[in-house]
């Protein structure tokens, strides 16, 4: 975005970094198709700028950013702003990174280079081993180089929250002179309080020469649970871009969550008196999609998108709600895309009723194949369960649609277990060459036996790092949703690179599965994680082998 394109006074622009800072969180590894799907949803949600990744990290990361720029960059349909998203790529402050970021984003009609360099003494001394003068020089060089390629340049002084404000003024003034159009102020380690962060933004805007020619931006981390409060304090101090992620995912405790900031601004117009381009009715769908693809479960009491965010259990609250919703409800659930259904779905419901409900829930863009697959699952579930709820439908969508390519497919499993027998499982899978594979194994329990049998067939060494299973609804006939994470053993290709620490980290792959049978749900989750790991290997050019 250029200065002449933005309305600095009245609009808060949403810069979503789910696919970059969010993807840096352990277990959130996404493949290219999943990143594209999330980017399309961010576009529908009305995000102004999408930070699509860190292109220098690997050929796979570059390719994902380039494809998002090419395929999602031009989309405008249904967007409140009437403009396509700006596609941004992250780059450390050096020419190679910046060139690579530019090459990845340049096909998007609106594109941005986002470059950063740490400015706190602690980072300068221990991480970068440079003095302040060298830091200023590198900022001038890198921002000028970025500007020579691209009009829209964002600069971030990393760890600004712990940097000397007067040194920040000096660095940021040079960044403006070198051509930066957005200045982002990261509280990288989530250290500041709202009062301090707001004061820092005011101080920088008041004292940096040329401050009125750029957009000021917030970027807060949630280590002290203050990310949303800090972001809003930054907005009140004059920032007009907020850097956020869906569900607040991100490194350590995460980033500021998009839905909290968007709903605070929408719900408190007298306090903020600002507009956004966010279509809040897309929030719930975006949250579910990101949670399913990243395997990062949303805590039930999470503001706006948690399962209990709009639930009223206490009798006194329910009584008040029945008399007048405003007694205990500051936002209507439909504002965030949670529509109470007028339809009760069960075994007699047909395809039309199912499709209408999906549309009401925001799933109006499913392909014919996805709709058929979801409907077949719905019918099977309705045979076992009297009433199919929205939560059941969400679980079906996550299990059928938000899945990696099915390199390995579950046909059947059979287990025998009990307190007087050794748990035994036999498994039948279809492999990448469409052939059927069968094997059996013993385990410490039924789930372990199934995993051992699957391992005997697929033969990809991995470590299970997390396994959870939850009931989707109440009642004994409830569906179970299993979520697991695995890490490859000796998988030299499954590494990511953290742009801030420059360290390679072992990627974790998540998977989820749903069924009324907990062992089947666990098997589906395990295969989903294995397929995600194998898809990542394929993306990096390796061949999936059957042993
Ligand atoms: O938290 C941070 O400092 C960042 C920068 C790279 C913007 O994510
Ligand atoms: Zn960050």
């Amino acid at each position: 975005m250029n200065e002449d394109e933005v309305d600095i006074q009245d609009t808060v622009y949403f810069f979503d970094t789910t696919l970059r800072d969010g993807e840096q969180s352990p277990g959130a590894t996404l493949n290219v198709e999943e990143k594209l799907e999330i980017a399309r949803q961010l576009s529908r949600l009305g995000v102004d700028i999408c930070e699509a990744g860190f292109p220098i990290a690997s050929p796979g990361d570059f390719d994902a950013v380039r494809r998002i720029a090419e395929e999602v960059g031009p989309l405008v349909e249904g967007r409140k702003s009437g403009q396509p998203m700006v596609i941004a790529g992250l780059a450390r402050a050096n020419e190679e990174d910046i060139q690579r970021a530019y090459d990845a984003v340049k096909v998007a009609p609106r594109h941005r280079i986002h470059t950063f360099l740490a400015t706190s003494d602690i980072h300068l001394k221990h991480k970068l081993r440079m003095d302040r003068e060298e830091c200023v020089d590198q900022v001038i060089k890198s921002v000028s180089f970025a500007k020579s390629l691209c009009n829209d340049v964002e600069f971030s002084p990393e760890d600004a929250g712990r940097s000397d404000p007067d040194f920040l003024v000096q660095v940021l003034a040079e960044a403006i002179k070198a051509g930066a159009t957005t200045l982002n102020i990261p509280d990288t380690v989530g250290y500041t309080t709202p009062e301090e962060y707001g004061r820092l933004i005011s101080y920088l805007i008041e004292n940096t020469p040329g401050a009125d020619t750029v957009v000021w931006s917030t970027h807060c981390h949630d280590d002290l649970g203050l990310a949303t409060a800090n972001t809003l304090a930054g907005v009140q101090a004059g920032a007009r871009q907020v850097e956020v992620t869906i569900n607040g995912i991100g490194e350590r405790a995460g980033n500021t969550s998009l839905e909290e900031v968007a709903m605070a601004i929408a719900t408190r117009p007298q306090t903020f008196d600002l507009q956004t381009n966010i279509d809040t009715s897309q929030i719930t769908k975006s949250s579910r999609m990101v949670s399913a693809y990243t395997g990062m479960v949303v805590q039930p009491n999470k503001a706006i998108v948690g399962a209990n965010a709009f639930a009223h259990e206490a009798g006194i609250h329910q009584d008040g709600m029945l008399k007048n919703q405003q007694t205990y409800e500051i936002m209507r659930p439909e504002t965030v895309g949670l529509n109470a259904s007028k339809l009760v779905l069960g075994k007699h419901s047909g395809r039309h009723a199912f499709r209408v409900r999906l549309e009401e829930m925001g799933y109006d863009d499913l392909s014919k194949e996805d709709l058929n697959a979801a409907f077949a699952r719905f019918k099977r579930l309705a045979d076992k369960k009297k009433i199919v709820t929205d939560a059941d439908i969400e679980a079906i969508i996550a299990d059928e649609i938000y899945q990696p390519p099915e390199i390995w497919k579950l046909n059947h499993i059979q287990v025998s277990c009990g307190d007087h027998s050794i748990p035994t499982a036999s498994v039948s899978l279809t492999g990448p060459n469409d052939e059927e594979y069968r094997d059996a194994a013993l385990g410490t329990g039924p789930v372990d036996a199934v995993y051992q049998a699957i391992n005997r067939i697929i033969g990809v060494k991995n470590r299970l790092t997390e396994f959870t299973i939850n009931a989707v609804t109440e009642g004994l006939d409830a569906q179970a949703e299993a979520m697991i994470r695995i890490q490859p053993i000796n998988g030299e290709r499954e590494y990511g690179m953290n742009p801030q620490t420059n360290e390679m980290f072992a990627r974790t792959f998540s998977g989820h599965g749903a069924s009324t049978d907990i062992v089947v749900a666990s098997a589906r989750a395990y295969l989903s994680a294995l397929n995600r790991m194998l898809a990542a290997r394929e993306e990096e050019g390796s061949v999936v082998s059957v042993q």
Side-chain angles (χ1 to χ4, degrees), residues 20-21 219 221 255:
R20 199 279 298 170
D21 224 342
H219 180 112
H221 281 265
N255 289 59

Side-chain angles (χ1 to χ4, degrees), residues 263 267 280-281 284 304 310 312 321 324-326 328-340:
M263 287 311 293
T267 308
T280 58
S281 71
T284 299
I304 319 294
F310 291 91
H312 298 273
M321 287 286 290
N324 184 332
Q325 279 165 335
Q326 283 180 3
Y328 286 102
E329 202 170 65
I330 59 165
M331 299 167 272
R332 298 293 303 132
E334 37 299 2
T335 315
V336 298
L338 265 178
N339 299 309

Side-chain angles (χ1 to χ4, degrees), residues 17 20-21 24 186-188 219-221 243 251 255 500:
T17 183
R20 199 279 298 170
D21 224 342
Q24 276 172 231
D187 181 19
T188 304
H219 180 112
C220 301
H221 281 265
E243 300 204 350
E251 289 236 71
N255 289 59
Q500 288 160 270

Side-chain angles (χ1 to χ4, degrees), residues 72-117:
V72 186
L75 304 179
V76 284
E77 209 192 300
R79 285 175 56 75
K80 193 166 148 193
S81 68
Q83 303 242 48
M85 283 197 298
V86 175
I87 308 296
L90 185 72
R92 288 166 300 190
N94 66 63
E95 288 201 1
E96 199 192 346
D97 271 42
I98 292 171
Q99 184 68 53
R100 196 89 176 124
Y102 176 66
D103 289 341
V105 297
K106 67 183 176 196
V107 287
R110 302 171 79 213
H111 47 264
R112 170 179 298 184
I113 297 172
H114 175 195
T115 187
F116 72 97
L117 188 67

Side-chain angles (χ1 to χ4, degrees), residues 394-436:
E394 300 275 10
I396 290 176
I397 295 288
D399 189 274
E400 281 294 327
I401 293 155
Y402 297 155
Q403 290 288 12
E406 263 197 318
I407 299 170
W408 287 91
K409 195 168 166 240
L410 181 68
N411 301 327
H412 309 290
I413 57 175
Q414 188 158 357
V415 285
S416 109
C417 61
D419 60 357
H420 278 83
S421 64
I422 300 175
T424 314
S426 61
V427 171
S428 153
L429 305 179
T430 300
N433 43 15
D434 268 345
E435 268 179 47
E436 192 190 356

Side-chain angles (χ1 to χ4, degrees), residues 1 26 37 58 116 195 214 218 276 307-308 335 363 388 411 422:
M1 248 185 297
E37 204 45 52
S58 73
F116 72 97
E195 201 263 330
V214 295
T218 65
T276 78
N308 296 346
T335 315
Y363 300 104
V388 178
N411 301 327
I422 300 175

